[in-house]
Amino acid sequence: MRTKLSDIAHVIRSKNSGPFELTYDFMLNSSADFWNARLSGCFTPKGVSGILGIDEGDILAIVWFEPSNALKITVKRPIPSGDLGERDVYGAQQAAPFWEVEW
């Protein structure tokens, strides 16, 4: 049986991490779900770059935080917040590519 991130995470969100970065937060339902996601291989630089369609070099951090069963991924914004052509000034609508990730 395949596991879908949206089935094991009670929080999947994005937000600005300054005007030049986006952060994705994932809070998983349990320790077992945390380890399932961590060992899946989906949340490596290669996996994240494929999910988001960005270069691996644009991934600034992938941080696993076991005490809260959480994962934080920070990437370079393609367009700075508030710049001409930017459509999500708060970075709050960027997590959709992760909703359907499964392994």
Side-chain angles (χ1 to χ4, degrees), residues 17 21-26 43-45 48 52 54-64 71-76 98:
S17 179
E21 300 175 358
L22 286 169
T23 291
Y24 299 89
D25 295 319
F26 310 93
F43 305 101
T44 62
V48 171
L52 295 176
I54 62 174
D55 292 332
E56 285 185 47
D58 289 339
I59 299 167
L60 303 174
I62 297 174
V63 179
W64 294 93
L71 166 62
K72 180 180 288 284
I73 299 170
T74 303
V75 303
K76 293 179 186 176
F98 289 98

Side-chain angles (χ1 to χ4, degrees), residues 79-80 82-88:
I79 301 173
D83 206 0
L84 186 63
E86 196 277 323
R87 302 174 302 185
D88 182 8

